Amino acid sequence: FIKEFDKVFPIIHGNDGETGAISGLLNLYNIPYVGSNILGHAISYDKDLTKIICSYHSIPQVKSITIYENKHIN
């Protein structure tokens, strides 16, 4: 039934909506959708990677601490 849609507005919060899984499914069926592409979802889902990219482009952000396996990395 998904092939019957003209365009999708995926307004979804949580893993399936934020990781790019829904965008990937829509891409498989060539269904246009509103929002980020799969790469955009994947990058922004990883909050630490997002902060690294924002820092590289001098985008201001609040200070944060990323914890990996109970070790603090600034």
Side-chain angles (χ1 to χ4, degrees):
F1 79 94
I2 195 169
K3 294 179 185 180
E4 298 174 13
F5 294 113
D6 294 325
K7 184 173 277 189
V8 175
F9 288 77
I11 304 171
I12 303 169
H13 182 70
N15 288 340
D16 291 335
E18 296 177 30
T19 61
I22 298 297
S23 299
L25 177 66
L26 296 171
N27 282 344
L28 286 174
Y29 289 105
N30 294 315
I31 299 172
Y33 57 91
V34 177
S36 300
N37 59 21
I38 297 171
L39 180 60
H41 282 288
I43 291 172
S44 63
Y45 190 71
D46 183 330
K47 305 308 183 222
D48 189 47
L49 179 58
T50 300
K51 292 184 77 58
I52 291 168
I53 292 170
C54 288
S55 292
Y56 179 81
H57 291 284
S58 302
I59 298 172
Q61 50 194 311
V62 297
K63 292 187 180 214
S64 65
I65 296 172
T66 301
I67 302 173
Y68 293 102
E69 298 179 25
N70 298 322
K71 297 177 185 175
H72 292 267
I73 300 172
N74 291 326

